[in-house]
Amino acid sequence: MTTGKINVSVENIFPLIKKFLYSDHEIFLRELVSNATDATLKLKHLTSIGESKVEYGNPIIEVKINKDAKKIHIIDQGLGMTAEEVEKYINQVAFSGAEEFLEKYKDSAKDSGIIGHFGLGFYSAFMVAEKVEIITKSHKDEPAAHWTCDGSPEFTLVASDKTDRGTEIILHIAEDSLEFLEEGKIRELLIKYNKFMPVPIKFGTRTEKVTTGEGDDATEETITVDNIINNPNPAWTKQPSDLNDADYKNFYRELYPMQFEEPLFNIHLNVDYPFNLTGILYFPKMSADLQIQKDKIQLYQNQVFVTDNVEGIVPEFLTMLKGVIDSPDIPLNVSRSYLQADGNVKKISNYITRKVADKLKSLFTENREDFEQKWNDIKIVLEYGMLSEPKFYEKAGAFVLYPSVDGKYYTLDELKEALKDKQTDKDDKLVVLYASNKDVQHSYIESAKEKGYEVLLLDSPIVSHLIQKLEADNEKLTFTRVDSDHIDNLIKKEDNPISKLSEDEQNNLKTVLEEIVPKTSYTVQLEAMDSKAAPFMITQPEFMRRMKEMSQSGGGGMFGMGNFPEMYNLIINTNSDLATTILNTADKQAQEGLVKQALDLAKLSQNLLKGEELTAFVKRNFELIK
């Protein structure tokens, strides 16, 4: 029997582990099962290169609870340890078994999936246990060892009569951690952290029915089998060429069992230089809310779940996607609870951006019709990507679409080509007209169509930011919402038409209107337009509205327009019959009635007539048709 003190640099490491090193107590199970997996994979590697003479077989890891004795057992059939190795790897925390193993076999072990890096993982056991035992038998022909420690630096190490290869860790659960003796709790943790570990994990047994014989001789019996809680070969560990659409969809359901909608498409990541990264990202159907979707991508290290907060690794605009990323090269702190600053992280993020852009381009090229049908469900991610990731923006021109109100889709280059003949103004600027709501802006859209103009439908919550960027990067291109002015002013082709009202008459008309129309909400403007155009029209200047929208959706910067009162232009067509009638009506009450009725009609066309004003308008019009 050996007794001694654990060789650590502080007098007692365990309170530090419990308080500072691991913030989340439940990860003890992740670490111990990871160590068991590690030991199993090491043995697999050593047998494959002839350095271990044992039969590898079909090892499993077993997790057992003994509630009455307040114990949890984690049992593996991996390479085990000799007493000397226990002394070295368990007692001398400064050493990491995995790191030394990797160093020794680094050339041949690259693909063996060894977890490594986490030499301190074993000590997380003391967060929940008042005593820990290790009973271990090495794959080498040496006696088994039994190590015991009660959470102080003191330990005992004695010979054991264990005859089968591998390691059993026994946790004597502390009074403040009895929740971990509940079967439901352990199952939950195994599914959360170890669902895709590369070695089968047994947790209890289950029954299943099997049929033997055929026809009349067939008999059905119930048998007891191991309850394997994980899938050791998840889709992302396979080659894309070995998977079909059904495989990807089945894996999506495995990741998100409560998600009933199918993903739109997936992107399989698979790179081994200059870093190692695999994974599958799924584009789900998107809502217009940028916040709801986040934290659906799961980060793994060699099939060990780490976190679903992947900011920093995945570009922010892609955090709205779902799926899995697995990389041994992502630098985490010792408890794997947060990312450490590292040059690889930016490289990984850039790679993912590039890979997603390339996949989108190929989807667009291979089946444009299908891509167009999915556009509304993915546009928010792509538009956000254009704004936030310069590398994505560079590639986005090849597949980002701009739909018309009639359901025709253009890339930006196609749009410029299609519009240049009709929508270039007298200053040689290409004016792209757009609507944000087909129903609310219907009359303005129709006016533009009558002129032969194309109107886009740009209705995402960040469109103001996006068009600002597109204008900055495309000289002589401007976006204007179709209701921001009357159509002749939106795309100025020549000087204004002549007004049939004289200058004095126009001044008199403006005076009359300004006495009746509320100054706090409207600026009165007189315009000479086609006599068939609407007599009264309400518009909101493009710049003011855009700045206000940008401020409300974040990013308005110094403008801070979010709290500004709504201000509109009231444009009066001086060539309309109504303008002449208002001017020539001597009865002030009748004149005011005409102006209010026309203003209400203009407000109605912009969906601005609400509440008390709408009620009064309806009542007034019923009076007129008595």
Side-chain angles (χ1 to χ4, degrees):
M1 173 173 162
T2 303
T3 61
K5 282 201 171 186
I6 293 171
N7 178 19
V8 289
S9 55
V10 290
E11 179 56 29
N12 191 341
I13 196 171
F14 302 109
L16 291 175
I17 286 172
K18 206 158 185 173
K19 273 191 174 175
F20 305 117
L21 190 55
Y22 295 97
S23 54
D24 191 351
H25 286 195
E26 69 179 32
I27 58 89
F28 80 92
L29 193 61
R30 176 191 75 186
E31 293 301 312
L32 295 178
V33 173
S34 297
N35 286 350
T37 304
D38 203 8
T40 309
L41 293 177
K42 284 177 183 175
L43 181 66
K44 183 180 185 181
H45 182 68
L46 293 178
T47 55
S48 72
I49 62 171
E51 285 219 9
S52 179
K53 306 305 178 191
V54 300
E55 186 70 34
Y56 179 66
N58 296 297
I60 65 168
I61 294 162
E62 183 173 9
V63 179
K64 292 196 296 192
I65 299 170
N66 183 336
K67 195 169 181 180
D68 293 336
K70 298 182 183 175
K71 291 194 285 193
I72 296 176
H73 302 250
I74 295 112
I75 305 157
D76 70 60
Q77 295 153 25
L79 82 176
M81 289 181 283
T82 64
E84 186 184 346
E85 286 167 337
V86 172
E87 175 74 46
K88 178 177 180 181
Y89 295 129
I90 301 300
N91 295 339
Q92 299 180 34
V93 176
F95 289 95
S96 165
E99 283 183 12
E100 183 177 297
F101 184 87
L102 279 174
E103 184 61 33
K104 184 174 177 185
Y105 296 105
K106 62 184 175 186
D107 293 327
S108 60
K110 275 178 183 167
D111 301 316
S112 62
I114 293 155
I115 292 160
H117 303 310
F118 306 109
L120 285 170
F122 166 74
Y123 285 98
S124 63
F126 287 97
M127 293 190 301
V128 299
E130 60 189 15
K131 183 169 83 172
V132 177
E133 297 178 68
I134 302 173
I135 304 169
T136 182
K137 173 89 169 66
S138 173
H139 65 112
K140 303 167 190 170
D141 189 19
E142 292 198 32
H146 185 170
W147 178 92
T148 308
C149 180
D150 64 0
S152 72
E154 260 90 61
F155 69 89
T156 61
L157 181 59
V158 298
S160 164
D161 56 6
K162 180 177 170 68
T163 55
D164 50 332
R165 178 193 77 225
T167 299
E168 177 175 6
I169 293 175
I170 305 167
L171 308 182
H172 297 256
I173 299 300
E175 289 299 318
D176 63 358
S177 299
L178 297 180
E179 64 186 289
F180 296 110
L181 292 169
E182 299 298 329
E183 190 176 308
K185 180 68 174 176
I186 295 299
R187 184 187 296 108
E188 173 198 323
L189 295 182
L190 287 171
I191 289 172
K192 178 177 178 179
Y193 290 112
N194 306 106
K195 187 176 180 180
F196 299 112
M197 293 287 276
V199 178
I201 300 165
K202 175 185 175 182
F203 184 57
T205 57
R206 59 187 174 82
T207 57
E208 59 180 44
K209 288 184 169 59
V210 292
T211 303
T212 55
E214 293 181 10
D216 294 339
D217 297 328
T219 57
E220 189 176 77
E221 60 177 314
T222 301
I223 60 168
T224 300
V225 296
D226 289 349
N227 181 40
I228 302 300
I229 209 152
N230 61 322
N231 170 4
N233 301 296
W236 84 81
T237 63
K238 300 172 184 175
Q239 289 299 314
S241 56
D242 295 335
L243 299 166
N244 57 34
D245 280 350
D247 294 324
Y248 285 114
K249 285 177 179 173
N250 288 337
F251 181 57
Y252 183 76
R253 282 190 282 272
E254 196 175 345
L255 281 174
Y256 308 104
M258 302 308 291
Q259 180 68 43
F260 301 110
E261 278 193 332
E262 295 281 350
L264 298 167
F265 50 83
N266 64 75
I267 296 171
H268 197 134
L269 306 168
N270 195 343
V271 62
D272 53 20
Y273 181 83
F275 46 80
N276 195 293
L277 179 136
T278 53
I280 301 171
L281 296 180
Y282 292 93
F283 270 77
K285 284 193 171 184
M286 293 290 161
S287 76
D289 190 325
L290 296 180
Q291 300 305 315
I292 291 174
Q293 305 285 343
K294 288 192 176 185
D295 293 339
K296 299 293 183 190
I297 296 175
Q298 298 173 12
L299 177 65
Y300 288 76
Q301 276 196 331
N302 292 315
Q303 296 172 241
V304 183
F305 175 75
V306 176
T307 179
D308 53 12
N309 178 5
V310 292
E311 281 184 34
I313 301 155
V314 174
E316 190 182 356
F317 77 101
L318 293 177
T319 58
M320 292 180 278
L321 303 189
K322 294 183 175 180
V324 166
I325 286 171
D326 189 332
S327 174
D329 295 329
I330 292 171
L332 301 166
N333 73 334
V334 72
S335 67
R336 313 190 203 197
S337 58
Y338 65 85
L339 195 66
Q340 293 180 323
D342 182 88
N344 263 352
V345 173
K346 190 61 189 164
K347 286 180 194 163
I348 289 170
S349 179
N350 287 342
Y351 165 78
I352 293 171
T353 298
R354 190 175 76 248
K355 183 75 176 179
V356 168
D358 291 345
K359 175 71 172 184
L360 290 166
K361 184 180 178 182
S362 71
L363 288 168
F364 173 75
T365 306
E366 289 162 16
N367 191 340
R368 176 164 180 163
E369 186 181 349
D370 182 61
F371 193 84
E372 288 178 356
Q373 286 173 357
K374 291 171 177 171
W375 177 252
N376 273 334
D377 292 314
I378 63 172
K379 65 185 177 187
I380 191 75
V381 177
L382 274 55
E383 290 169 352
Y384 189 25
M386 290 175 74
L387 287 169
S388 60
E389 283 291 329
K391 289 185 187 302
F392 186 77
Y393 181 80
E394 286 168 21
K395 291 175 173 274
F399 52 80
V400 164
L401 295 174
Y402 302 87
S404 76
V405 289
D406 297 319
K408 187 171 182 183
Y409 290 83
Y410 300 92
T411 65
L412 190 60
D413 286 344
E414 290 168 351
L415 188 66
K416 290 176 182 176
E417 186 61 31
L419 305 189
K420 67 180 183 183
D421 291 339
K422 284 193 174 177
Q423 292 183 216
T424 303
D425 68 11
K426 64 186 180 68
D427 298 320
D428 201 32
K429 265 205 165 185
L430 182 63
V431 182
V432 179
L433 300 177
Y434 71 98
S436 61
N437 186 308
K438 276 201 295 191
D439 294 331
V440 171
Q441 291 144 20
H442 181 267
S443 63
Y444 299 88
I445 294 167
E446 289 304 304
S447 297
K449 283 185 177 179
E450 283 167 16
K451 293 272 188 181
Y453 298 154
E454 185 77 281
V455 181
L456 300 185
L457 180 62
L458 303 179
D459 57 1
S460 81
I462 56 174
V463 74
S464 297
H465 297 271
L466 181 61
I467 61 181
Q468 197 86 350
K469 182 164 181 59
L470 291 169
E471 287 171 344
D473 293 338
N474 292 271
E475 199 180 355
K476 297 215 172 255
L477 179 73
T478 184
F479 285 76
T480 303
R481 205 166 86 178
V482 73
D483 61 345
S484 61
D485 210 331
H486 76 76
I487 195 65
D488 293 334
N489 275 354
L490 292 179
I491 305 177
K492 282 191 180 256
K493 294 288 190 180
E494 54 194 34
D495 292 331
N496 289 336
I498 297 167
S499 173
K500 67 182 184 182
L501 297 183
S502 69
E503 195 173 328
D504 283 346
E505 286 173 321
Q506 288 184 61
N507 288 336
N508 290 340
L509 178 60
K510 191 168 185 181
T511 302
V512 167
L513 292 165
E514 285 180 340
E515 285 174 357
I516 301 167
V517 174
K519 287 187 177 63
T520 52
S521 303
Y522 299 96
T523 301
V524 173
Q525 293 180 2
L526 303 186
E527 299 272 1
M529 295 187 266
D530 188 302
S531 59
K532 293 175 186 169
F536 276 43
M537 182 185 288
I538 292 171
T539 65
Q540 191 169 33
E542 176 72 19
F543 174 78
M544 291 286 286
R545 194 208 67 255
R546 197 187 295 183
M547 288 303 118
K548 185 177 175 67
E549 285 174 358
M550 287 170 70
S551 176
Q552 286 171 336
S553 64
M558 59 185 258
F559 295 104
M561 311 279 284
N563 298 320
F564 270 31
E566 293 284 3
M567 281 296 293
Y568 298 92
N569 292 333
L570 176 63
I571 299 171
I572 315 300
N573 181 2
T574 59
N575 288 335
S576 66
D577 292 340
L578 181 59
T580 306
T581 303
I582 290 169
L583 183 64
N584 295 332
T585 300
D587 184 333
K588 288 291 180 191
Q589 193 173 351
Q591 191 181 50
E592 185 176 331
L594 283 171
V595 172
K596 283 187 172 177
Q597 181 74 354
L599 177 59
D600 281 352
L601 286 166
K603 286 162 80 173
L604 195 63
S605 76
Q606 270 280 45
N607 205 29
L608 293 171
L609 196 64
K610 295 187 172 88
E612 192 178 330
E613 288 182 336
L614 179 59
T615 304
F617 172 79
V618 171
K619 188 177 179 184
R620 191 165 69 243
N621 278 274
F622 276 132
E623 292 291 327
L624 291 172
I625 58 171
K626 270 185 180 177

